Amino acid sequence: MRTGRRGSPSGTVPSHRSFLSAGRPGTAPPALVGPGRGATVPPRSPPLLSPTFVPACRAPARRPPVIGRRDESEVPLVHPQHRRAGAPGHRGDDTTAGWGSVEYSTALAHAAEAHGWSGALLGTGWGRPDTFTVATALAARTTTFEPLIAVRPGYWQPAQFAGAAATLDQLSRGRALFNIVSGADDVGAYGDTTVEPARRYARTREFLYLLRRLWTEEDVTYSGKFFQVTGSTVAPRPYAAGGRAHPTLYFGGASPAAERVSAAEADVQLFWGEPLDGVARRIERLRALSGEVGRRHKPLEYGLRITTLVRDTTEEAWQAAEEKVAALAASDGAAWTGHRGAVGQRRLLDLATRGEVLDTCLYTTPGWYGAAGAATTWLVGSPGDVATALEGYRKLGINHFILSDTPYQQEISRIGDQVLPLLREESRPREESVRTP
């Protein structure tokens, strides 16, 4: 367990240098204190796993809002994804009745609207509910909720996707957003033969390049390694308002191949929860790469996808975090299983060798006990602690935030009411200094 305090009564939190290192690479961290701080949980090897859910939010905009609708960048994004159709328990969520139903998902979307979020990330994976179908249902039942729809190039041909996406964007009056996913899935189940990482990323880059052309040009003819179209014109076009030509394209990945895709074709590069110094280096590298690959679009933006565990006080938050990890260890990570081979995932797991807590409140221990993806590291603390940590990322250039914790219904309101207003307050001076009249 940690040696030394995470915070003082005044709410200040010492740097990670005040905490013990987790040890050499490949070793488990010190034992954790379980519920009630009575018994320890022995260290163990982490099981395979990967994330499927993630909520989100965005920092205040640096432009005036679009007239007629709430400015999506003034309110963050959040919402749940489904681990398996009708299977509750993802990431420890305690909901059982109605899980995976349109009523339950709509209730979460309405809660997001009511508590200041702009929408939610809908995670994709074979054997889970289809994200496009879920997003369409939610868009029809909400007014401001923006579904951030995760899709895989292996599921679609670019022209088919361009037409479907533009139709949903028109029907929702510009509320559709897309997260393009290159990571391996159960490719054999749906007949995908592009398995090698290098080919997957090359395909994704081609997919994004052609998608932009199909959304903005007519009579498109293209012949590439993976996709071909002849005389293709997409109708309807994406919803156009406020200078927006098409839905925003999000992309994640930490490998050199993935970063080249982002630098060339993405609108937003998503990071998982690395320390500030790691994120700063990656932003610097991506900015340099944008020049190297001859980026033709507006400058790449950046987003953070991370778990936030918030309680009224610092001490309450850390006690809850330790209890959650103890329960995760006791369950053998059963609700969090997935893949661990990705470069970004290995980067997060390696962070534990630097210490249990990095920066002010970035908790690295969950990954050792089965948590993965955006749940590998957590920002833990009071609303002020977590808002201050998020503001640190914003100062580096992050202006999209995808935040999550469970139970989803409870945390949508807690984080929306207690953290997001503080994050907006922190951001306001900078926003006012650059806003045009």
Side-chain angles (χ1 to χ4, degrees):
M1 60 188 150
R2 272 177 296 275
T3 63
R5 293 177 57 79
R6 291 168 295 275
S8 67
S10 65
T12 60
V13 183
S15 75
H16 71 272
R17 293 185 181 87
S18 300
F19 301 89
L20 279 178
S21 167
R24 300 183 305 279
T27 62
L32 298 173
V33 176
R37 300 175 182 254
T40 60
V41 177
R44 65 175 184 83
S45 299
L48 294 178
L49 98 78
S50 85
T52 54
F53 167 87
V54 236
C57 87
R58 271 181 275 172
R62 295 174 191 153
R63 56 180 172 77
V66 177
I67 296 175
R69 56 184 284 238
R70 190 172 56 171
D71 182 7
E72 63 191 39
S73 60
E74 286 193 20
V75 282
L77 275 169
V78 177
H79 106 132
Q81 263 96 327
H82 310 281
R83 176 177 160 230
R84 288 290 183 271
H90 177 57
R91 289 197 179 176
D93 188 68
D94 58 3
T95 302
T96 55
W99 180 273
S101 68
V102 68
E103 292 81 9
Y104 176 73
S105 297
T106 301
L108 291 174
H110 285 162
E113 288 184 320
H115 294 280
W117 301 94
S118 61
L121 171 62
L122 305 175
T124 184
W126 191 254
R128 304 184 187 111
D130 174 66
T131 54
F132 223 102
T133 306
V134 173
T136 302
L138 295 180
R141 290 165 170 79
T142 56
T143 55
T144 61
F145 178 85
E146 298 174 339
L148 174 50
I149 307 160
V151 297
R152 294 176 184 269
Y155 291 1
W156 297 83
Q157 287 290 315
Q160 294 169 325
F161 176 77
T167 300
L168 176 57
D169 198 47
Q170 278 288 344
L171 292 174
S172 65
R173 300 184 66 80
R175 286 188 281 145
L177 308 167
F178 294 98
N179 179 32
I180 309 301
V181 179
S182 286
D185 199 5
D186 188 1
V187 294
Y190 54 91
D192 189 2
T193 59
T194 303
V195 178
E196 301 84 1
R199 284 178 55 80
R200 288 204 315 270
Y201 285 117
R203 179 177 67 180
T204 297
R205 182 168 177 175
E206 197 171 294
F207 184 93
L208 290 167
Y209 167 79
L210 182 53
L211 179 60
R212 287 179 182 273
R213 288 191 61 189
L214 290 165
W215 275 342
T216 58
E217 301 176 23
E218 296 184 355
D219 197 25
V220 176
T221 295
Y222 174 81
S223 180
K225 291 183 178 180
F226 302 93
F227 306 111
Q228 299 80 36
V229 295
T230 301
S232 183
T233 299
V234 168
R237 294 307 218 191
Y239 187 79
R244 174 186 185 271
H246 57 72
T248 302
L249 295 167
Y250 292 71
F251 184 75
S255 69
E259 289 186 338
R260 294 185 75 83
V261 172
S262 270
E265 298 295 345
D267 293 318
V268 180
Q269 161 75 40
L270 288 175
F271 302 120
W272 282 336
E274 297 185 40
L276 294 170
D277 57 357
V279 172
R281 285 192 295 269
R282 292 192 62 195
I283 289 176
E284 182 179 2
R285 185 164 62 248
L286 283 160
R287 286 172 175 163
L289 274 175
S290 294
E292 290 180 23
V293 301
R295 182 179 177 86
R296 304 174 308 281
H297 318 300
K298 65 181 182 180
L300 183 64
E301 296 183 13
Y302 306 98
L304 180 70
R305 174 179 167 182
I306 194 170
T307 294
T308 50
L309 195 154
V310 177
R311 297 294 184 268
D312 290 343
T313 68
T314 301
E315 285 300 319
E316 289 172 347
W318 281 104
Q319 179 173 344
E322 291 181 349
E323 291 175 356
K324 275 198 171 190
V325 172
L328 179 62
S331 68
D332 199 39
W336 308 58
T337 55
H339 302 287
R340 285 197 172 233
V343 172
Q345 183 64 76
R346 294 197 302 270
R347 286 171 64 94
L348 294 188
L349 292 172
D350 289 345
L351 291 176
T353 65
R354 292 174 53 182
E356 283 193 88
V357 183
L358 305 180
D359 294 336
T360 58
C361 61
L362 183 66
Y363 191 28
T364 67
T365 302
W368 285 90
Y369 293 91
T376 308
T377 57
W378 306 348
L379 291 176
V380 178
S382 67
D385 296 338
V386 172
T388 298
L390 293 172
E391 173 65 8
Y393 289 101
R394 192 198 62 77
K395 288 178 178 177
L396 296 178
I398 302 283
N399 59 356
H400 303 256
F401 294 93
I402 300 177
L403 313 177
S404 64
D405 194 18
T406 58
Y408 296 124
Q409 189 75 258
Q410 171 182 299
E411 296 308 319
I412 286 172
S413 58
R414 188 204 306 267
I415 299 170
D417 294 347
Q418 298 182 19
V419 176
L420 301 189
L422 297 178
L423 183 59
R424 296 190 194 100
E425 184 68 27
E426 291 274 5
S427 302
R428 186 168 295 132
R430 182 180 177 184
E431 179 189 13
E432 292 175 350
S433 68
V434 299
R435 180 180 289 163
T436 56

